[in-house]
């Protein structure tokens, strides 16, 4: 992975060859996909009469045919992406797209519905092949600090392309007499532009060139799901993303009937809802980098889930009281004040969906083994397809049994809260990062320096001064990776913080004199953390300072390093002394809430790593003391 590409923000990636050609290739592919599908849907719904494809079912059939290749071929496409140069795979897929679009052009010009439906299946195959490449490419060209911004750009670009493709498809096919011909030209032209863009994508070497392809889609699909399940955090994140697709599909598939029967609008109002939804997703995706401060910040995921539920539920209340009126145009619809609340709910719901999904995608890319990353993403595509099918069936069943569309939205919002809560209990890292995110953004004004010195991979020990009861939470917010803490066993008895630190799998320690067994267990657990290549943090002072001064460092660090010599990173927490969580009130903490007000400045400075051979407690203390003055 490339490491030293500094840029001021995610948009600067568009000027760099490692990202820009890839971005425009996937943008053109997503746009062309939707131009073709929407134009075809409009053609068979409004212009052609085919007995075997009635207009009422056209959208459902086209959607089902498109999603079928994801179930059949995702496992194979993941293997191909891991085995071959990803740039070569992208160029092959774009060549395939040109061939499919030439066939589709023939179908549009001759109005051959059978040929066009076959092309829907082939474009589904095209997207199935491109899916694993789309997300496996980025970690090979972007570093950890750029991954969230890069994913945000891709997500934003995808939804903008979907929006533009749908709009272009609808406008072109509606042109009298020449509509089908113009759609044919547009589809072939977009495919050719995508192939030209792909020519400029830099080489992306295979991550597992010796992989033997298993062409059996059933056994390979099962193997991919087991492969993904091998990493619990990754697999449960895959389920989280698939749930987001379930959630989104409920809304997207019901926009036409929602616009017509509930909002009393015409077909252009349904398009407006799609525009609002797409803009919300795009803004949410771009906000991820700003809010995460250029790290993979999974603390945004619970915030996204909360927003999705709140605004989905409010959409029910906003739409249920609308008075019945004659069908409205977009202008009439926007002239009704009550409709603005509906659009605000829809826009914010999708914005929070963007905040929810982008960090999850980035986490999967970061935590998956590079050798089988594409196969893990293929497993994600399989799960996404299954969840979307279940979503359509569930929403259809609810509507058939008499539920209204707003009631379906309400049920989805409530279900989202339940599912998200369950996921966060299964993977408490999300919840912990959310608490750390809120603490450092909403209570303190948090500034981090030197976080480049916290290693993005491999075992290391962080040593830090101990100023308050929330030191561990502040450290979590600054680190791109999970940290395991060794903490005084008495802190686990505190009502809320104790629960949090148990969720964080903090290691309780007591003095050797007080509890020799707990003392030995703590060092064994610390060694296991380092053996697994993770980060360990200790507070060598042995307790929270009672006077704000840096205390003497104890020798426990040497005992850990004797077993397993790893780099040691000195870290200093600045300005936490005097806060509500410090022992400033005559040695007691948590006496006067907000004693320094909201947004009081707090800092963290990480120094350069010290090799294990050069470590001693006095040297580490002097390094932390120097950082405190930095």
């Amino acid at each position: 992975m490339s490491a030293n590409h500094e840029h001021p923000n995610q948009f600067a990636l568009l000027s760099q060859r490692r990202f820009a050609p890839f971005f425009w290739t996937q943008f053109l592919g997503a746009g062309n996909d939707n131009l073709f599908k929407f134009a075809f849907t409009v053609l068979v719904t409004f212009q052609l009469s085919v007995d075997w494809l009635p207009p009422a079912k056209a959208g459902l059939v086209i959607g089902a045919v498109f999603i079928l290749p994801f179930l059949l071929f995702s496992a194979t496409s993941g293997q191909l992406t891991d085995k071959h140069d990803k740039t070569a795979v992208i160029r092959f897929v774009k060549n395939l797209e040109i061939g499919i679009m030439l066939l589709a052009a023939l179908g549009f010009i001759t109005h051959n519905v059978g040929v066009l439906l076959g092309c829907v299946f082939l474009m589904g195959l095209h997207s199935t092949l491109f899916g694993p490449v789309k997300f496996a490419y980025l970690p090979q060209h972007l570093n950890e600090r750029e991954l969230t911004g890069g994913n945000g750009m891709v997500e934003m670009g995808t939804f903008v392309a979907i929006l533009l493709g749908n709009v272009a498809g609808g406008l072109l096919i509606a042109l009298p007499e020449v509509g089908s011909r113009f759609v044919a030209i547009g589809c072939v032209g977009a495919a050719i532009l995508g192939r030209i863009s792909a020519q400029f994508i830099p080489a992306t070497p295979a991550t597992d060139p010796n992989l033997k392809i298993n062409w059996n889609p059933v056994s390979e699909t099962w193997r991919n799901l087991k492969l993904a399940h091998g990493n619990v955090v990754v697999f449960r994140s895959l389920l989280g993303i698939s749930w987001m697709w379930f959630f989104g599909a409920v809304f997207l598939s019901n926009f036409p009937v929602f616009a017509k029967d509930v909002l009393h609008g015409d077909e252009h109002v349904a398009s407006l809802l799609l525009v609002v939804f797409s803009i919300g997703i795009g803004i949410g995706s771009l906000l991820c980098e700003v809010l995460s401060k250029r790290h993979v910040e999974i603390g945004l995921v619970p915030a996204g889930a909360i927003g999705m539920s709140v605004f989905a539920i409010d959409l029910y209340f906003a739409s249920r009281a609308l008075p019945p009126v004659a069908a409205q145009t977009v202008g009439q619809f926007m002239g009704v004040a009550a409709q603005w609340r509906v659009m605000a709910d829809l826009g914010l719901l999708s914005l929070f969906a963007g905040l929810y999904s982008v960090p999850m995608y980035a986490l999967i890319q970061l935590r998956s083994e590079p050798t089988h990353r594409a196969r893990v993403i293929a497993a994600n595509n399989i799960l996404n397809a299954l969840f979307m099918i279940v979503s359509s069936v569930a929403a259809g069943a609810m509507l058939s049994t008499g539920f209204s569309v707003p009631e379906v939205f309400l049920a989805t919002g409530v279900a989202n809260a339940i599912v998200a809560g369950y996921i966060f209990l299964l993977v408490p890292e999300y919840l912990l990062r959310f608490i750390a995110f809120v603490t450092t953004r909403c209570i303190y004004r948090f500034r981090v320096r030197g976080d480049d010195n916290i290693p993005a991979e491999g075992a290391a020990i962080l040593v830090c001064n101990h100023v308050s009861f929330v030191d561990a939470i502040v450290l979590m917010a600054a680190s791109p990776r999970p940290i395991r803490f060794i903490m005084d066993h008495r802190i686990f008895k505190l009502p809320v913080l104790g629960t949090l630190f148990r969720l964080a799998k903090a290691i309780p320690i007591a003095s050797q004199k007080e509890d020799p067994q707990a003392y030995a267990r703590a060092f064994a657990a610390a060694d296991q953390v380092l053996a697994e290549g993770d980060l360990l943090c200790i507070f060598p002072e042995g307790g929270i300072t009672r006077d704000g001064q840096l205390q003497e460092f104890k020798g426990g660090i040497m005992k850990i390093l004797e077993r397993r010599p790893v780099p040691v990173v000195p870290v200093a927490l600045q300005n936490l002394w005097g806060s509500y969580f410090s022992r400033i009130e005559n040695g007691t903490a948590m006496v006067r809430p907000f004693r320094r007000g909201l947004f009081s400045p707090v800092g963290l400075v990480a120094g350069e790593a010290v090799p294990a051979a050069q470590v001693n407690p006095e040297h580490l203390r002097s390094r932390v003391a120097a950082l405190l003055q930095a």
Side-chain angles (χ1 to χ4, degrees), residues 189-395:
I192 292 170
L193 286 174
R195 178 59 184 88
I196 292 169
S197 179
Q199 194 61 35
F200 295 95
I201 297 174
T204 311
T207 49
D208 193 0
N210 298 319
L211 176 68
K212 187 177 179 182
I213 303 287
N214 173 17
W215 295 101
N216 183 327
V218 177
S219 64
E220 187 59 26
T221 294
W222 181 247
R223 187 187 300 176
N224 278 8
L225 291 171
K226 283 172 68 178
L227 197 65
H229 193 264
N231 185 320
V232 174
V233 172
V234 167
F235 185 72
R236 287 170 178 166
S237 298
L238 295 182
L239 293 177
I241 286 173
S242 296
W243 171 257
M244 194 274 291
W245 282 101
F246 177 106
F247 180 92
V250 169
F251 288 88
L252 288 168
S253 62
N254 283 291
F255 278 167
V257 67
F258 182 60
K260 181 183 174 186
D261 296 344
V262 180
L263 304 182
H264 315 295
D266 60 17
E267 61 271 24
H268 297 297
V269 172
S271 298
L272 175 65
L273 299 183
L274 178 64
V275 169
V276 171
F277 192 87
S278 300
I279 290 171
I281 287 273
I283 293 171
S285 299
L286 293 178
L287 274 176
C288 285
E289 189 190 46
V290 177
L291 294 172
S292 65
K293 297 191 175 177
R294 306 266 303 280
H295 278 303
V296 174
E297 180 49 83
I298 61 173
L300 292 173
V301 175
I306 292 166
M308 286 160 68
S309 281
V310 166
F311 293 108
I313 292 167
D314 191 63
L315 186 59
Y316 164 76
F317 291 107
S319 57
R320 67 197 287 256
L322 294 172
V325 293
Q328 304 173 96
T329 64
V330 169
Q332 291 167 332
F333 173 82
M334 295 182 72
V336 179
Q339 307 286 21
W340 283 90
R341 178 180 169 191
V342 171
M343 286 196 292
D345 281 332
L346 206 53
L348 288 167
L349 173 158
S350 57
L351 184 150
F352 279 99
L355 289 181
Y356 174 94
S357 63
V358 169
M360 271 196 175
Y361 274 120
L363 182 76
I364 290 165
Q365 291 166 326
L366 205 58
R367 301 279 180 89
S368 299
E369 288 294 327
T371 51
H372 54 253
R373 186 183 284 130
R375 278 166 285 169
V376 169
I377 291 161
N380 178 53
N381 290 340
I382 295 163
L383 289 170
N384 289 350
L386 288 170
F387 272 64
M388 288 169 75
I389 290 166
V390 172
S391 163
S392 297
V393 171

Side-chain angles (χ1 to χ4, degrees), residues 493-513:
K493 295 173 184 174
L494 293 172
V496 177
L497 290 173
T499 304
L500 282 179
F501 295 135
R502 273 190 288 273
L503 279 174
K505 298 181 181 176
I507 301 165
I509 191 168
S511 68
Q512 195 165 16
K513 194 180 294 183

Side-chain angles (χ1 to χ4, degrees), residues 411-433:
T412 306
V414 172
N416 181 68
I418 295 167
V419 170
Y422 179 64
I423 289 171
F424 302 144
L425 286 175
L426 285 177
V427 190
E429 188 182 338
Y430 282 110
L431 192 59
L432 292 165
R433 292 293 296 230

